[in-house]
Amino acid sequence: MQTRRDFLKLAALLSGAAGVSGFVPDSIQRAYAIAPEPGSTWLDAEHVVILMQENRSFDHALGMLRGVRGFNDPRAIHLPNGNSVFVQTDKAGISYAPWRLDMHDTRITWMGSIPHSRNSQVDAWSEGRHDGWIDAKRSWYPDYKHIPMTMGHYTREDLPFYYALADAFTVCDQNYCGIMTSTTPNRSCFWTGTVRDRQSADSRVFMRNDQYLQGGGMVWKTYPERLQEAGVSWKFYQNDMMNSGLGGEHDAWLGNFGCNLLEFFAAYNIEAYSGYVKEQQQEIAHYTTELANLEGEVSQATDPDKIDDLKSRMTYAQKRIAECKAALKNSGEPRYRQLTTQQKALFHAAFVTNAGDPDYHTLESLPFANDGKQLIMNVPKGDILYQFRKDVETGNLPTISWLTAPENFSDHPVSPWYGAWYVSEVMDILTKNPDVWKKTIFVLTYDENDGYFDHAPSFVAADPKRSWTGGASTGIDTGLEYTYKEDELVQGVPEKEARTGPIGMGFRVPMIIASPWSRGGWVNSQLFDHTSTLMFLEQFVQLKFGKTVREENISAWRRAISGNLTSVFRPYDPKEPELDFLNRDQFVIGIQKARYKEIPSNYKPLNAAGIAEINGSPADSPRMPRQEPGIRRACAIPYELRVEGGLSEDGAAFELRMTAGDTLFGNGAAGAPFNIYLRSLKQGTEGEIDGMRAATWAVRAGDTLTQQFPLALFEDAKYAIDVHGPNGFYRSFRGSQAAHPLQIHLEYEERAGRYTGNVRVHLLNTSGQSIKAMIEDDSLGSRVQSHEVQPGREKVVTLHLSRSHSWYDFTVKAAGSDEEASFAGHVETGRSSFSDPRMGGLV
């Protein structure tokens, strides 16, 4: 095991204190070097190890990584005001672009979290406009409110371990948190597939942390229960429970931060845990003291609003005291003796702690020097991965393992960023024995984005009460994925916090999957969310053991559009290229020292010229972060996405046809959501704000949805419609009610029943005069083709995309017409490819 001194040194290094861009820890090098049998697949794995960390958005953590959809995204959306999504503006009219958070030379990692509650997440989403980030995410701390922290991001120099992990294995850049809210509901989605107590649109929805933390006793079924019933082995590892009675600094270093969701479900009987009694006693003492203080404040207060607030807090304190006293009547050892054999099995699997380590509740001091001063900090004395390590070493690792870190190792912004050490130690444990790693899949993900900006807009469920918000394929009830302010008020949510909005998805979060079958520094760009991990476990258990363990709480909407992670994996190929990293063994205690640095100040408001530069080309603007150049290998993903548009037969509407095909991939084909942005709308149009409205349509694999938008919605009947789908899929249509004799159709070129990777552009002239059509191709640089299309004839133009790895990006215009159509995306052929060269700065 690591000593406390080893831990602190490695934590500082892995968190970026050394600023080493080429550093690769031994655990990653070792994992990459361990090869399974040639031709083996992910189904040869025997262990799936899953770690969900805390509160980081994708752009914030990995937006600078080479070859992912980060700050160089050439198809980022534009806001209602016409600005790039990378230009966020507050209510005072001040605009900011993403800016670097320097972990070494500022105290940023000591500046705490920023708002990420349900109301702040919905406000940032802003009915799909994605323009509310600055004001919704201002820091709670008065000294930091003026800093646009939400727009802050890290680089490889700050987070070398995570970048090295992504470079060695597979990063998922279209992975979204499941719920548009904070930690605990997202963890509910991760372990149960839902935040509803029943799968009915009139059921209660649990969208806030305190509804779990203070209520407890949730009754709907969790996935671990289903595994237990099927006889599939599993464990949930932590140093100790939230309900352990540790308190204070000990809890931050040694508890589980409340991140084991199973504590809140009645089936697991957390009340039988030995530390539960002490925890409840501490709660009673805390709220008794608070109640006395509040009574004193009420007696001195004169402002009616303050008195009402104090009395409300008193009522809550009284409620908590009563609840804790009631819980104590049947807890601890007496409660444990009452459990059945089955209940005890669930209890022991869910609450695996390090009680076997005599120091698992102990901290010890560590001295260090900073600017000539001798300082002391506390660190764990015991091994916070003791039992997990022991089970790996003794061959007792179950089929499915979940881990949760203490607060200080969780990556949550409330704590300094020591989490990389925890992840590295898990990797170290798993890779020390090659026979274990050859049979293991390790999934690292995050519960939600905290308050940190991500440029990729959410794909959300449509509101069935407001048709303009979108829709879904027949049989998909989007009402299961929507919740309303009125219902929240009934549940006791304060008026100022209650919101109407989609339950999911939330915003993008990092996911890296490390295994012998995901090696090589790849990117996977299929749409995933928190239920994707459950759907992967369904597949793994079914194909591995022949047992059907289905999570019935996952909605049809999520199953239609979210992948099951299997596209991440490839049969092991010994010809795969080796890593080309430099090794560096420097270390300092930088994270602790950064506590005494100045607050960051390198953010700057944008002027008009800076905004114009970003709007013109974010990747070329000096005011934007410079994402690492280059491309990376990309997984084959099962998309056959098509969106076509044109005037309706009567010319009164523009008609979109959205398809998620299944011709090539059959039963393995993926459905997809499409975000539709209507621009240049007439003021007062339903759902219109600042001339735009956003909507999402979810299309099941093998289905086509057709939607008409009356031209009367648009100013001067001039339509402007943008369509965004997963993995950079994009369509744009501009024009008016005037005659459009040029019809444009895009198809993927086929040969022998397979897609070649090229596209064919069909240009049909329905008029009696010849038309000059121009194709502006940006796939490999700006090239313009001019084609004369004769009256009543069709011309087919093939765009050969081998040099761009089957990425296309072109616009078709007809001379003398205001008609314009743009097409961008990737042709999926069933074979692996590369990320977008244009995004990689190679074009």
Side-chain angles (χ1 to χ4, degrees), residues 175 527-537 562-565:
N175 178 56
L527 182 68
F528 300 137
D529 82 325
H530 287 341
T531 63
S532 295
T533 303
L534 291 175
M535 288 189 272
F536 169 70
L537 294 179
S562 292
N564 61 15
L565 304 187

Side-chain angles (χ1 to χ4, degrees), residues 75 140 179 216 332 429 431 515 527 560-562 625 630 647 712 766 794 837:
R75 286 171 285 282
W140 287 295
I179 314 295
I429 292 167
T431 58
S515 77
L527 182 68
I561 63 175
S562 292
L647 292 178
T766 61
E794 180 181 61

Side-chain angles (χ1 to χ4, degrees), residues 391-453:
D391 283 356
V392 172
E393 291 175 348
T394 59
N396 289 311
L397 191 65
T399 301
I400 313 296
S401 299
W402 286 282
L403 301 99
T404 189
E407 175 184 337
N408 282 354
F409 296 104
S410 71
D411 283 351
H412 196 295
V414 297
S415 300
W417 205 326
Y418 293 123
W421 173 82
Y422 188 89
V423 179
S424 77
E425 191 70 357
V426 171
M427 287 289 295
D428 188 57
I429 292 167
L430 290 172
T431 58
K432 276 186 174 176
N433 184 341
D435 290 335
V436 171
W437 183 248
K438 285 181 180 180
K439 300 178 290 186
T440 299
I441 295 168
F442 175 49
V443 179
L444 169 66
T445 189
Y446 288 73
D447 53 19
E448 39 105 344
N449 62 297
D450 198 75
Y452 286 102
F453 169 79

Side-chain angles (χ1 to χ4, degrees), residues 522-523 567 570 633-639 664-665 727 749-758 802 805-807 826-835:
W522 290 53
V523 61
S567 63
R570 303 167 296 282
R633 296 293 298 272
C635 299
I637 53 179
Y639 282 137
L664 177 61
F665 298 105
N727 194 26
E749 184 184 62
E750 287 188 56
R751 192 174 299 149
R754 306 283 293 183
Y755 294 137
T756 66
N758 300 325
S802 59
H805 306 296
S806 295
W807 288 91
H826 186 253
V827 183
E828 296 298 334
T829 64
R831 299 180 296 274
S832 62
S833 183
F834 289 87
S835 58

Side-chain angles (χ1 to χ4, degrees), residues 691-749:
M692 189 186 93
R693 80 179 185 202
T696 305
W697 272 263
V699 185
R700 181 184 280 120
D703 197 11
T704 296
L705 293 185
T706 300
Q707 182 68 31
Q708 290 192 352
F709 301 100
L711 298 188
L713 296 174
F714 301 91
E715 290 285 354
D716 300 322
K718 293 182 177 180
Y719 60 86
I721 302 173
D722 295 331
V723 182
H724 289 263
N727 194 26
F729 181 92
Y730 175 69
R731 300 291 187 265
S732 175
F733 303 97
R734 300 289 189 273
S736 66
Q737 203 165 14
H740 289 303
L742 182 67
Q743 296 183 6
I744 307 162
H745 167 67
L746 172 69
E747 69 172 354
Y748 303 136
E749 184 184 62

Side-chain angles (χ1 to χ4, degrees), residues 764-781:
L764 176 62
N765 182 355
T766 61
S767 74
Q769 298 179 342
S770 65
I771 295 176
K772 179 183 288 187
M774 276 116 14
I775 300 177
E776 299 178 3
D777 185 3
D778 290 327
S779 304
L780 285 173

